[in-house]
Amino acid sequence: MPGDLTPAEFRAAMHRAADLLADYLERVGERPVLPPAAPGDLLRDLPKSPPERPEPLGRILDDFESLVLPRTTHWNHPGFLAYFAITGSAPGIVGESLAAGLNVNAMLWRTGPAATELEERACDWLRQLLGLPAEFSGHINDTASVSSFLALAAARERLGLEVRERGLAGRPEVPPLRVYASEHAHSSIDKALIALGLGLDSLVHVPADPSFRLDPGALQAAVGRDRAAGRRPMAVVATVGTTSTTSVDPVEAVVEIAAAEGLWLHVDAAYAGPAALCPEMRHHFAGWERADSIVVNPHKWLFVPVDCSLLLMRDEELLRRTFSLVPEYLRTTDGAARNLMDLGIQLGRRFRALKLWMVLRAFGAEGLRARIREHCRLARELASWIEAEPGFELAAPVPFSTVCFRWRSGGSPDEEDARNQSLLEEINAAGPFFLSHTRLRGRFVLRAAIGNLRTEETHIRALWQLARERAARLAG
Ligand code: PLP
């Protein structure tokens, strides 16, 4: 039958794909980070109707090279410094490819014994590397958004309100539930509450201090206000490495409040978590070992290709109580086997552990620490140049590898915002770099997030030179 390849054709196609990727990764830094593409460009080049007749894979790969690659934003580029920079490292890419080949669906232990057990061991290795106690069990989800959603679902289950059975609608005896997170928490927490049917009003955005860290006094006061008004505090989210500035909420103070108030503590360390591999950075995480749940994304700063998010649960049984539902056709007689389908809403699961296992082994803890330390060093260097430059300022402290800065061009704050936006556009249009932005205290701020394996000091020096040059040009 046409469609699938013969073994010989498959081998040739995989060899070509391997060559293509090896060449691509070797030379990705020579391309502009952002493709010169406008919305709709690729759509215009793609046939509107699906192919009726089989096409040779060679021609499809040609189209990949001529149509898809030129419209791709290069996340593996050393000048990719936007959002949180990430890298699909070579060992991770090999793991991802092998997982595609096996095409395991690890819903049950029976359907993926290796996938299930490798996931358990790789997650536990990572737990140990992060310095967390053995009570935590980990499993892998696609994203931190889903990991945080699951954690908050378990937090609600722990309240004993029988939401699983009875839902929330039409139950006047259930008080409004409340979740607390810093005003700088990631929007995935808001989305989790939408998905849980608690509504956005259930999220209390707790004010942060001048260093963008959740203010524990304000948290305590908010909990007190809610109790006085008959609402039920349910959970608090502390972030280690917030999205805008990578600020660190005071987890130790938050954990005390959570313990005293009976709140679930979820720690969102989606970006910064890997820094806990380095003993000298552990102080940022003090107290997280007392959390109920923690999310760390190996697909952010641990060089595992997207997607791979580790959710660590102190009491995994609670997650099972929240989500496990076993219809007859999924029953097995494997006794105490861990079935990953019990840990969330999805049934089918990819073999994501393979790429994580390969990255952990191929880099070793030593190799991972060395990269993370180098990224933090580069960030400190950039921050020191910014601080020393008249007309520029650091917009936030730099605890990890992300630098927020602002050009003080003069004029009103709104005029300065507009010039910073122009500066960002000029830098991004030049080709070798891609930065993103945020707003801090209402003001437009540029962000350089260093997290790519290929980013070296020469790139950061070139970025800084470009930023100064373009600012001078815009000023003149
Ligand atoms: N939490 C934090 C602190 C983040 O910075 C992000 C994304 O940048 C997320 C959660 C969401 O990550 P994901 O894309 O894995 O859902």
Side-chain angles (χ1 to χ4, degrees):
M1 285 294 279
D4 211 356
L5 305 179
T6 64
E9 287 167 339
F10 175 62
R11 194 178 299 276
M14 288 301 276
H15 285 163
R16 178 164 169 201
D19 285 342
L20 197 155
L21 275 184
D23 290 345
Y24 167 73
L25 292 174
E26 193 178 349
R27 312 194 61 169
V28 63
E30 294 167 22
R31 299 169 183 261
V33 190
L34 289 167
D41 273 2
L42 178 58
L43 274 174
R44 250 190 312 279
D45 286 348
L46 294 172
K48 286 213 170 79
S49 314
E52 185 60 35
R53 301 197 45 81
E55 295 185 62
L57 201 73
R59 195 193 308 156
I60 306 171
L61 286 172
D62 289 345
D63 284 350
F64 169 80
E65 288 193 75
S66 65
L67 298 179
V68 179
L69 256 187
R71 277 62 177 258
T72 296
T73 295
H74 300 295
W75 285 76
N76 283 313
H77 194 293
F80 189 111
L81 302 161
Y83 312 108
F84 283 126
I86 60 175
T87 322
S89 65
I93 296 169
V94 172
E96 185 75 293
S97 312
L98 292 175
L102 297 182
N103 199 31
V104 157
N105 180 341
M107 54 193 189
L108 297 163
W109 178 87
R110 162 84 31 207
T111 64
T116 304
E117 293 183 17
L118 201 68
E119 181 157 328
E120 186 168 327
R121 189 49 49 90
C123 290
D124 198 63
W125 280 359
L126 190 46
R127 171 195 67 74
Q128 293 175 47
L129 291 173
L130 297 170
L132 285 163
E135 296 101 85
F136 283 99
S137 346
H139 77 278
I140 302 176
N141 295 296
D142 54 358
T143 56
S145 303
V146 167
S147 293
S148 292
F149 163 80
L150 297 178
L152 291 171
R156 184 172 65 183
E157 183 62 23
R158 192 173 70 171
L159 296 179
L161 297 171
E162 300 181 330
V163 177
R164 176 189 160 110
E165 292 77 19
R166 301 171 58 203
L168 283 168
R171 297 183 63 191
E173 80 282 10
V174 176
L177 305 178
R178 283 290 180 268
V179 175
Y180 307 84
S182 139
E183 56 181 316
H184 291 280
H186 190 263
S187 55
S188 53
I189 305 304
D190 308 54
K191 280 200 179 180
L193 299 181
I194 297 173
L196 285 167
L198 298 181
L200 289 172
D201 288 351
S202 65
L203 181 59
V204 180
H205 291 281
V206 179
D209 69 13
S211 297
F212 312 105
R213 301 154 50 93
L214 178 145
D215 173 354
L219 170 64
Q220 185 69 71
V223 172
R225 271 197 306 276
D226 281 332
R227 286 206 195 283
R231 296 184 277 257
R232 180 144 184 203
M234 175 180 110
V236 56
V237 179
T239 310
V240 179
T242 58
T243 311
S244 279
T245 67
T246 75
S247 61
V248 178
D249 288 340
V251 182
E252 271 183 315
V254 173
V255 90
E256 290 301 334
I257 296 171
E261 297 285 349
L263 304 180
W264 182 282
L265 172 60
H266 176 60
V267 172
D268 180 353
Y271 151 71
L277 265 76
C278 306
E280 73 277 15
M281 284 194 256
R282 281 270 169 85
H283 63 277
H284 291 305
F285 299 84
W288 75 334
E289 69 284 352
R290 291 173 63 197
D292 294 288
S293 53
I294 298 174
V295 59
V296 174
N297 273 8
H299 78 218
K300 287 208 196 305
W301 201 10
L302 214 62
F303 321 123
V304 176
V306 168
D307 51 14
C308 187
S309 173
L310 170 71
L311 175 61
L312 289 159
M313 294 285 298
R314 178 179 295 284
D315 180 2
E316 189 177 275
E317 202 40 48
L318 250 176
L319 209 47
R320 248 177 233 110
R321 209 166 89 200
T322 312
F323 287 111
S324 177
L325 192 68
V326 187
E328 187 53 39
Y329 43 84
L330 293 172
R331 269 184 213 293
T332 60
T333 51
D334 295 321
R338 188 181 189 225
N339 293 321
L340 290 169
M341 71 167 186
D342 291 334
L343 302 179
I345 44 173
Q346 68 188 87
L347 170 61
R349 276 179 194 269
R350 303 178 56 224
F351 191 172
R352 294 193 185 90
L354 198 52
K355 56 188 172 181
L356 175 59
W357 183 64
M358 291 204 173
V359 168
L360 293 178
R361 292 187 62 184
F363 282 77
E366 230 179 66
L368 294 168
R369 285 188 199 109
R371 266 69 171 200
I372 289 165
R373 285 183 177 130
E374 177 61 3
H375 289 159
C376 293
R377 186 190 73 80
L378 293 177
R380 285 193 301 272
E381 283 282 281
L382 176 60
S384 71
W385 302 333
I386 292 166
E387 275 188 307
E389 184 76 16
F392 279 84
E393 69 179 14
L394 266 190
V398 182
F400 301 109
S401 67
T402 300
V403 181
C404 292
F405 63 102
R406 183 168 158 84
W407 174 30
R408 301 306 310 268
S409 63
S412 72
D414 285 349
E415 284 163 355
E416 279 200 342
D417 280 355
R419 289 212 190 94
N420 275 278
Q421 177 135 24
S422 303
L423 178 59
L424 177 68
E425 283 160 16
E426 290 258 335
I427 292 171
N428 289 344
F433 300 103
F434 178 27
L435 303 187
S436 58
H437 79 281
T438 189
R439 269 187 193 272
L440 298 176
R441 301 190 190 95
R443 303 276 58 112
F444 192 96
V445 161
L446 281 68
R447 273 174 92 262
I450 300 167
N452 195 282
L453 282 177
R454 294 177 183 80
T455 307
E456 293 175 6
E457 185 161 335
T458 47
H459 301 110
I460 300 302
R461 281 191 186 281
L463 164 72
W464 181 228
Q465 183 161 343
L466 179 69
R468 279 157 52 231
E469 256 171 45
R470 295 297 150 111
R473 210 158 84 182
L474 285 166

